[in-house]
Amino acid sequence: MSSVQTQQEQLSQSDPSPSPNSCSSFELIDMDAGSLYEPVTPHWFYCKIIDSKETWIPFNSEDSQQLEEAYSSGKDCNGRVVPTDGGRYDVHLGERMRYAVYWDELASEVRRCTWFYKGDKDNKYVPYSESFSQVLEETYMLAVTLDEWKKKLESPNREIIILHNPKLMVHYQPVAGSDEWGSTPTEQGRPRTVKRGVENISVDIHCGEPLQIDHLVFVVHGIGPACDLRFRSIVQCVNDFRSVSLNLLQTHFKKAQENQQIGRVEFLPVNWHSPLHSTGVDVDLQRITLPSINRLRHFTNDTILDVFFYNSPTYCQTIVDTVASEMNRIYTLFLQRNPDFKGGVSIAGHSLGSLILFDILTNQKDSLGDIDSEKDSLNIVMDQGDTSSLEEDLKKLHLSEFFDIFKKEKVDKEALALCTDRDLQEMGIPLGPRKKIINYFSTRKNSMGINRPTPQSVSGANIAKESEFCSRSNTRHDDYLDVGIGQVSVKYPRLIYKPEIFFAFGSPIGMFLTVRGLKRIDPNYRFPTCKGFFNIYHPFDPVAYRIEPMVVPGVEFEPMLIPHHKGRKRMHLELREGLTRMSMDLKNNLLGSLRMAWKSFTRAPYPALQASEMAEETEAEPESTSEKSSDVNTEETSVTVKEEVLPINVGMLNGGQRIDYVLQEKPIESFNEYLFALQSHLCYWESEDTVLLVLKEIYQTQGIFLDQPLQ
């Protein structure tokens, strides 16, 4: 307190009001006057670097209260860790630092804030340091208690703060060059506003997230380090996705929340771009990159080349290992931090990330016993459709010289089918013959396409059927794709959990499968460990492709239209459909009127017959028009009935449900599809319709439904 009084004596010489010069004078003050003073309520903030500027963001109210309780507990703050933001960040109270739990991120400073001043450019309030805020609070307390204002203080960086009255407190920057002459700082320029307490500044403080976590969703990004047009990272985009989900839970699952049936869905990002580009490949690319159009080439190397990396055996292995190991690591850490979690796990991928997840899911094993069951199914296939000997097969491949090697190693046909590339290499088989042998036996093991045989479904007829609609049109009858359906030859890691649903946003899966040579997906195929699959896309997304036509190639049908989160179609879509119907009605009525007029015109020269013909026409006309209209109506109704009564069977990839789901474009987007194409590929992170579909499908697995079903 004495240091504050010393500063006041030095800086308030122009102030005629006396100031107390000792603590004893403060003790003689009437205590009734002191009742006007109320201590300030602190709120905790953390600092983030946004657009190269420091921005102070408040913790939500629950986290701030939790931090304040830990600070005020009287215990030593050193080593004290407080989880915040739903457990995604830990605050080390003694260090005043905030650390990310599940991903790599720069630590951010944490501050217990009570006093703020308005910034220079963005007009956002910046908190003073904790020590100087305490000095300001003590000065404010003296001013209120003694009713003596116009108090001056000097901040640690030689700036002046003047407390004129409880409603007017200002902050002046120092005069340039005053430090050189050692003169006292004075007021200069336009003063900044000073506020006491977070309730007096304009800042949004959110409520905390529900503690109960019902479901966990891993989100895998696509090409490049940025995930939207603002060049934000996957962490920031998933934060938006999570925020939208929390808002939709309050509006669309209100009854379930009131009955405490649900808590929230946790979305955690999975980053594979950083580990891939930390392998040194960027340095290698830089050596061969042309110096012209440097920015564009850097963008290409950092973003578009990720697609080519995924088609490279070396870097594809790095990518799938990173994605699977990250999801396994985060899942294990999540269970350690949430031991009471009993919910399920789902996965979501955007763009190329969805293809990575698709390939990983395709190559999963349902259980440890699946390896044995695959061996059994392989035996069944060979017993029923392959009676040739190993020697005959090698002769067919022009590899008869290696038969003695296999005979020496006691490798028969069944054992050779189980051999890996390394096994053949250890036996001394050269690279070319190894590839021929592996490809030959893998195609015997699996018919082309995504169709892993099982003991229950394998038969000679089934294999013939598969080869009919899955074979390449320009290859031999025995030239099939392996189980990887044209994937790069890598070892796909195994997930330590079984995902319930796979959500693909703006996904090129259909295009990649087609380019790999797959013509059709077996309607009976399903992921070995995942029950659901939803292909969600914007109609103008240039990267997105459909999946259902690969399951049902002979039928043309529209994808499922995702309902608007407000419960109806967007107005411009309804208007467009209404105008289409109205134009059809006008066209039909106009044709009918013209036909009547033409008949009247052609009957005009025969007045004697007009009456009788008119009578006949009036009798026949309703019949013909009703007949024609009934034809049209029956045709239309038959289509509608066919759509309603006979739903399209799109196979078991999504448990018998529809797979392709299309968003409704916004009115402004419908004016120019090309203008919004890139934005459409990056729109999913803040799309309420997308998030609501994800929440609806997740909670349906728990028997919880929307308050009002959307149309």
Side-chain angles (χ1 to χ4, degrees), residues 259-285:
N259 297 331
Q260 297 182 346
Q261 292 178 292
I262 63 172
R264 63 184 174 92
V265 176
E266 180 62 283
F267 297 90
L268 295 179
V270 177
N271 180 19
W272 57 266
H273 182 268
S274 299
L276 170 66
H277 288 262
S278 63
T279 58
V281 65
D282 289 349
V283 178
D284 298 335
L285 284 172

Short mmCIF file of all heavy atoms in Angstrom, two decimals, residues 259-285:
data_model
loop_
_atom_site.label_atom_id
_atom_site.label_comp_id
_atom_site.label_asym_id
_atom_site.label_seq_id
_atom_site.Cartn_x
_atom_site.Cartn_y
_atom_site.Cartn_z
N ASN A 259 -34.22 -33.65 -19.83
CA ASN A 259 -34.36 -34.92 -19.12
C ASN A 259 -33.01 -35.55 -18.76
O ASN A 259 -32.98 -36.67 -18.24
CB ASN A 259 -35.17 -35.91 -19.97
CG ASN A 259 -36.59 -35.43 -20.22
OD1 ASN A 259 -37.16 -34.70 -19.40
ND2 ASN A 259 -37.16 -35.82 -21.35
N GLN A 260 -31.93 -34.80 -19.05
CA GLN A 260 -30.57 -35.27 -18.75
C GLN A 260 -30.27 -36.63 -19.40
O GLN A 260 -29.56 -37.45 -18.84
CB GLN A 260 -30.35 -35.34 -17.23
CG GLN A 260 -30.45 -33.98 -16.55
CD GLN A 260 -30.17 -34.07 -15.06
OE1 GLN A 260 -30.15 -35.16 -14.47
NE2 GLN A 260 -29.95 -32.92 -14.44
N GLN A 261 -30.83 -36.82 -20.59
CA GLN A 261 -30.54 -38.04 -21.35
C GLN A 261 -29.25 -37.93 -22.14
O GLN A 261 -28.62 -38.94 -22.43
CB GLN A 261 -31.70 -38.34 -22.30
CG GLN A 261 -32.99 -38.73 -21.62
CD GLN A 261 -34.09 -38.98 -22.64
OE1 GLN A 261 -34.56 -38.06 -23.31
NE2 GLN A 261 -34.49 -40.23 -22.79
N ILE A 262 -28.87 -36.71 -22.49
CA ILE A 262 -27.68 -36.51 -23.31
C ILE A 262 -26.79 -35.45 -22.70
O ILE A 262 -27.23 -34.63 -21.88
CB ILE A 262 -28.05 -36.10 -24.76
CG1 ILE A 262 -28.76 -34.74 -24.77
CG2 ILE A 262 -28.88 -37.16 -25.44
CD1 ILE A 262 -28.98 -34.18 -26.15
N GLY A 263 -25.53 -35.50 -23.08
CA GLY A 263 -24.57 -34.48 -22.69
C GLY A 263 -24.11 -33.73 -23.93
O GLY A 263 -24.69 -32.74 -24.35
N ARG A 264 -23.06 -34.24 -24.56
CA ARG A 264 -22.55 -33.62 -25.78
C ARG A 264 -21.74 -34.65 -26.56
O ARG A 264 -21.44 -35.74 -26.06
CB ARG A 264 -21.66 -32.41 -25.46
CG ARG A 264 -20.40 -32.76 -24.67
CD ARG A 264 -19.62 -31.50 -24.31
NE ARG A 264 -18.48 -31.78 -23.45
CZ ARG A 264 -17.25 -32.04 -23.89
NH1 ARG A 264 -17.01 -32.06 -25.19
NH2 ARG A 264 -16.27 -32.27 -23.05
N VAL A 265 -21.41 -34.28 -27.79
CA VAL A 265 -20.54 -35.08 -28.65
C VAL A 265 -19.19 -34.38 -28.73
O VAL A 265 -19.13 -33.17 -28.98
CB VAL A 265 -21.13 -35.25 -30.06
CG1 VAL A 265 -20.17 -36.01 -30.96
CG2 VAL A 265 -22.47 -35.97 -29.99
N GLU A 266 -18.12 -35.11 -28.48
CA GLU A 266 -16.78 -34.53 -28.53
C GLU A 266 -16.16 -34.79 -29.90
O GLU A 266 -16.13 -35.93 -30.39
CB GLU A 266 -15.90 -35.15 -27.45
CG GLU A 266 -14.47 -34.62 -27.41
CD GLU A 266 -14.38 -33.14 -27.13
OE1 GLU A 266 -14.65 -32.36 -28.06
OE2 GLU A 266 -14.04 -32.77 -25.99
N PHE A 267 -15.69 -33.72 -30.54
CA PHE A 267 -15.01 -33.81 -31.83
C PHE A 267 -13.54 -33.48 -31.63
O PHE A 267 -13.21 -32.41 -31.11
CB PHE A 267 -15.63 -32.83 -32.84
CG PHE A 267 -17.07 -33.11 -33.16
CD1 PHE A 267 -18.09 -32.54 -32.41
CD2 PHE A 267 -17.42 -33.95 -34.21
CE1 PHE A 267 -19.42 -32.79 -32.69
CE2 PHE A 267 -18.75 -34.21 -34.50
CZ PHE A 267 -19.76 -33.63 -33.74
N LEU A 268 -12.65 -34.38 -32.05
CA LEU A 268 -11.21 -34.18 -31.88
C LEU A 268 -10.53 -34.27 -33.24
O LEU A 268 -10.77 -35.21 -34.00
CB LEU A 268 -10.62 -35.23 -30.93
CG LEU A 268 -11.11 -35.17 -29.48
CD1 LEU A 268 -10.47 -36.27 -28.65
CD2 LEU A 268 -10.83 -33.81 -28.86
N PRO A 269 -9.66 -33.31 -33.57
CA PRO A 269 -8.99 -33.30 -34.87
C PRO A 269 -7.83 -34.28 -34.93
O PRO A 269 -7.18 -34.58 -33.92
CB PRO A 269 -8.49 -31.86 -35.00
CG PRO A 269 -8.28 -31.42 -33.58
CD PRO A 269 -9.33 -32.12 -32.76
N VAL A 270 -7.57 -34.78 -36.12
CA VAL A 270 -6.43 -35.68 -36.38
C VAL A 270 -5.61 -35.04 -37.49
O VAL A 270 -6.10 -34.85 -38.61
CB VAL A 270 -6.90 -37.08 -36.79
CG1 VAL A 270 -5.70 -37.96 -37.13
CG2 VAL A 270 -7.73 -37.72 -35.69
N ASN A 271 -4.36 -34.70 -37.19
CA ASN A 271 -3.49 -34.01 -38.14
C ASN A 271 -2.45 -34.97 -38.70
O ASN A 271 -1.69 -35.58 -37.95
CB ASN A 271 -2.80 -32.83 -37.44
CG ASN A 271 -1.87 -32.07 -38.36
OD1 ASN A 271 -1.97 -32.17 -39.58
ND2 ASN A 271 -0.97 -31.30 -37.79
N TRP A 272 -2.43 -35.15 -40.01
CA TRP A 272 -1.42 -35.99 -40.65
C TRP A 272 -0.51 -35.19 -41.57
O TRP A 272 0.52 -35.71 -42.04
CB TRP A 272 -2.06 -37.12 -41.44
CG TRP A 272 -3.04 -36.68 -42.51
CD1 TRP A 272 -4.40 -36.56 -42.37
CD2 TRP A 272 -2.75 -36.30 -43.86
NE1 TRP A 272 -4.96 -36.13 -43.55
CE2 TRP A 272 -3.97 -35.97 -44.49
CE3 TRP A 272 -1.58 -36.21 -44.60
CZ2 TRP A 272 -4.05 -35.55 -45.80
CZ3 TRP A 272 -1.65 -35.80 -45.92
CH2 TRP A 272 -2.88 -35.47 -46.51
N HIS A 273 -0.86 -33.95 -41.87
CA HIS A 273 -0.05 -33.15 -42.80
C HIS A 273 1.32 -32.82 -42.22
O HIS A 273 2.34 -32.93 -42.90
CB HIS A 273 -0.80 -31.86 -43.15
CG HIS A 273 -0.08 -31.00 -44.15
ND1 HIS A 273 0.78 -30.00 -43.76
CD2 HIS A 273 -0.09 -30.99 -45.50
CE1 HIS A 273 1.27 -29.41 -44.83
NE2 HIS A 273 0.76 -29.99 -45.91
N SER A 274 1.37 -32.41 -40.96
CA SER A 274 2.65 -32.02 -40.34
C SER A 274 3.64 -33.17 -40.28
O SER A 274 4.80 -33.02 -40.68
CB SER A 274 2.39 -31.43 -38.95
OG SER A 274 1.58 -30.29 -39.04
N PRO A 275 3.25 -34.37 -39.80
CA PRO A 275 4.21 -35.48 -39.81
C PRO A 275 4.69 -35.86 -41.20
O PRO A 275 5.85 -36.22 -41.39
CB PRO A 275 3.42 -36.63 -39.16
CG PRO A 275 2.39 -35.96 -38.32
CD PRO A 275 2.01 -34.73 -39.08
N LEU A 276 3.80 -35.75 -42.21
CA LEU A 276 4.20 -36.09 -43.57
C LEU A 276 5.27 -35.14 -44.07
O LEU A 276 6.29 -35.56 -44.64
CB LEU A 276 2.98 -36.05 -44.50
CG LEU A 276 3.28 -36.16 -46.00
CD1 LEU A 276 3.85 -37.52 -46.33
CD2 LEU A 276 2.02 -35.90 -46.82
N HIS A 277 5.07 -33.85 -43.85
CA HIS A 277 6.00 -32.86 -44.39
C HIS A 277 7.21 -32.64 -43.47
O HIS A 277 8.05 -31.79 -43.78
CB HIS A 277 5.27 -31.54 -44.64
CG HIS A 277 4.35 -31.60 -45.82
ND1 HIS A 277 4.69 -31.13 -47.06
CD2 HIS A 277 3.10 -32.12 -45.96
CE1 HIS A 277 3.69 -31.33 -47.91
NE2 HIS A 277 2.71 -31.93 -47.26
N SER A 278 7.28 -33.34 -42.37
CA SER A 278 8.47 -33.29 -41.53
C SER A 278 9.44 -34.42 -41.86
O SER A 278 10.44 -34.60 -41.18
CB SER A 278 8.07 -33.37 -40.04
OG SER A 278 7.44 -34.61 -39.77
N THR A 279 9.13 -35.20 -42.91
CA THR A 279 10.00 -36.31 -43.30
C THR A 279 11.19 -35.85 -44.14
O THR A 279 12.04 -36.66 -44.50
CB THR A 279 9.21 -37.35 -44.11
OG1 THR A 279 8.64 -36.71 -45.27
CG2 THR A 279 8.08 -37.94 -43.26
N GLY A 280 11.26 -34.57 -44.47
CA GLY A 280 12.33 -34.07 -45.32
C GLY A 280 11.97 -33.99 -46.78
O GLY A 280 12.77 -33.54 -47.60
N VAL A 281 10.75 -34.37 -47.12
CA VAL A 281 10.33 -34.34 -48.52
C VAL A 281 10.25 -32.91 -49.04
O VAL A 281 10.49 -32.66 -50.22
CB VAL A 281 8.98 -35.07 -48.69
CG1 VAL A 281 7.87 -34.33 -47.96
CG2 VAL A 281 8.64 -35.23 -50.17
N ASP A 282 9.93 -31.95 -48.17
CA ASP A 282 9.85 -30.56 -48.61
C ASP A 282 11.21 -30.05 -49.09
O ASP A 282 11.30 -29.30 -50.07
CB ASP A 282 9.32 -29.68 -47.48
CG ASP A 282 7.85 -29.92 -47.22
OD1 ASP A 282 7.23 -30.61 -48.05
OD2 ASP A 282 7.33 -29.45 -46.20
N VAL A 283 12.27 -30.45 -48.38
CA VAL A 283 13.62 -30.04 -48.79
C VAL A 283 13.97 -30.65 -50.14
O VAL A 283 14.55 -29.98 -51.02
CB VAL A 283 14.65 -30.45 -47.72
CG1 VAL A 283 16.06 -30.08 -48.15
CG2 VAL A 283 14.31 -29.82 -46.38
N ASP A 284 13.62 -31.91 -50.33
CA ASP A 284 13.89 -32.56 -51.62
C ASP A 284 13.11 -31.90 -52.75
O ASP A 284 13.63 -31.74 -53.86
CB ASP A 284 13.52 -34.05 -51.53
CG ASP A 284 14.35 -34.79 -50.49
OD1 ASP A 284 15.47 -34.33 -50.21
OD2 ASP A 284 13.87 -35.81 -49.96
N LEU A 285 11.85 -31.53 -52.47
CA LEU A 285 11.05 -30.88 -53.50
C LEU A 285 11.59 -29.48 -53.83
O LEU A 285 11.55 -29.05 -54.99
CB LEU A 285 9.59 -30.77 -53.04
CG LEU A 285 8.76 -32.05 -53.09
CD1 LEU A 285 7.42 -31.83 -52.42
CD2 LEU A 285 8.56 -32.51 -54.53
#
